[in-house]
């Protein structure tokens, strides 16, 4: 069986560096142990076959979920260092994306919006009007999901 592609090797190296940056950013932070261990587990998984870019992207998604959803100086340090090293990863603004699009597209976005709506408004990251719009989008998404569930029931 052939080894991983050159693209995989390059991307895995970049991802491995992002995991290292994450461990450094978390040093002394309350979540440090669990997140550092999680990063190490993902690094081990990317070394195991099958080594495909699609599989690597799933590992990246799992890792970056925390860094996209969390807030604080350690998160800012992480993204600043990722950018400074020219790594091909960017912070995603799920709330902003949903507001621009005018709807929640999937279960992952739904979870982020539900989990962060109140805090984002309290911290001033979104306005009261934006919070109300997001609440409406949550309702629309949940209504669509419940209709899909009712129609697919046996």
């Amino acid at each position: 069986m052939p080894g991983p592609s050159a693209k995989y090797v390059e991307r895995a190296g970049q991802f491995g560096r992002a995991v290292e940056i994450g461990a450094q950013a978390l040093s002394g932070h309350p979540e440090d142990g669990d997140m550092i261990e999680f990063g190490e587990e993902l690094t081990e998984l990317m070394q195991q076959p099958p080594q495909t870019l699609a599989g690597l992207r799933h590992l990246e998604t799992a890792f970056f979920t925390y860094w996209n959803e969390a807030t604080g100086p350690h998160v800012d340090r992480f993204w600043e260092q990722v950018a400074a090293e020219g790594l091909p990863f960017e912070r995603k603004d799920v709330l902003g994306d949903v507001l621009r699009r005018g709807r929640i597209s999937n279960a992952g976005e739904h979870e982020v919006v539900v989990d962060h709506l109140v805090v984002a408004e309290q911290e001033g990251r979104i306005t009261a009007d934006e919070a109300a719009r997001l609440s409406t989008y949550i309702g629309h998404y949940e209504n669509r999901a419940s209709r899909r569930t009712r129609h697919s029931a046996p």
Side-chain angles (χ1 to χ4, degrees):
M1 178 171 213
S5 70
K7 281 186 177 182
Y8 181 92
V9 171
E10 178 183 14
R11 184 76 177 199
Q14 294 165 332
F15 178 54
R17 182 61 191 130
V19 170
E20 291 171 3
I21 292 169
Q24 293 166 355
L26 283 165
S27 180
H29 198 267
E31 291 96 4
D32 66 350
D34 291 339
M35 276 303 296
I36 291 169
E37 185 177 316
F38 181 59
E40 290 169 354
E41 289 171 9
L42 293 175
T43 302
E44 288 175 27
L45 285 172
M46 78 178 171
Q47 304 299 324
Q48 298 173 9
Q51 294 172 317
T52 64
L53 285 171
L56 184 58
R57 295 224 192 283
H58 286 292
L59 298 177
E60 291 172 358
T61 297
F63 177 74
F64 288 115
T65 295
Y66 170 80
W67 296 103
N68 282 316
E69 294 180 6
T71 58
H74 68 292
V75 176
D76 295 337
R77 277 193 309 275
F78 170 80
W79 286 111
E80 288 166 5
Q81 189 62 37
V82 165
E85 294 197 20
L87 297 175
F89 309 109
E90 293 182 2
R91 188 171 195 175
K92 300 207 181 337
D93 176 11
V94 175
L95 297 180
D97 291 346
V98 168
L99 285 165
R100 277 188 292 284
R101 189 182 321 113
R103 69 182 179 86
I104 296 172
S105 295
N106 57 52
E109 284 185 351
H110 175 261
E111 184 177 330
V112 170
V113 174
V114 168
D115 289 349
H116 296 283
L117 174 66
V118 173
V119 173
E121 184 179 11
Q122 289 173 345
E123 292 178 346
R125 291 186 284 138
I126 60 172
T127 65
D129 177 61
E130 290 170 327
R133 287 174 40 213
L134 288 169
S135 292
T136 299
Y137 302 154
I138 290 169
H140 290 171
Y141 180 84
E142 290 172 351
N143 286 337
R144 286 193 319 265
S146 70
R147 279 195 306 261
R148 282 191 297 266
T149 303
R150 282 195 309 263
H151 292 322
S152 65

